[in-house]
Amino acid sequence: MTQGRTRPSEGEFDLIAVVVSTQPAAAIRGDLPPEQAAILNLCQRPLSVAEVSAHLHLPLGTVRVLLGDLLGAGLILTSGPRPAAQPQRHHLLKAVINGLNAL
């Protein structure tokens, strides 16, 4: 299934990253492993990486490797969580420190 790989060849897949198929598995020419075809069929609507793993009853690491292959082939699109901007974090931490000092 993953040919011994433990990390995806492309992309990083956070648990809450959203995955969506670019086309149905039936439209793909060539041989697609059954697990990858199942992912494409499942992701006709956007799903998180965690949901894909749960629906397929596959370990998260395995799903990430399969998703990396599909991403490399252009068969899925992903969008991950956006990190908060650094200045906002600094501002928040400073406000917390000021609040604690006021106590």
Side-chain angles (χ1 to χ4, degrees), residues 2-3 6 9-11 15 34 46 52 67 71-72 83 85 94-95:
T2 64
Q3 299 163 349
T6 59
S9 57
E10 288 200 32
L15 283 174
V52 172
L67 288 173
L71 182 64
K94 193 169 191 164

Side-chain angles (χ1 to χ4, degrees), residues 1-2 5-10 13-15 19 35-36 39 42-43 47-71 76:
M1 192 176 326
T2 64
R5 295 172 294 154
T6 59
R7 301 205 185 272
S9 57
E10 288 200 32
F13 302 97
D14 190 85
L15 283 174
V19 180
E35 296 82 11
Q36 289 182 349
I39 291 172
L42 190 61
C43 292
L47 289 176
S48 71
V49 172
E51 289 174 308
V52 172
S53 177
H55 282 290
L56 297 178
H57 305 289
L58 290 173
L60 192 56
T62 301
V63 169
R64 285 178 170 149
V65 170
L66 296 173
L67 288 173
D69 294 343
L70 292 171
L71 182 64
I76 60 169

Side-chain angles (χ1 to χ4, degrees), residues 94-103:
K94 193 169 191 164
V96 169
I97 290 171
N98 289 339
L100 290 172
N101 286 335
L103 295 174

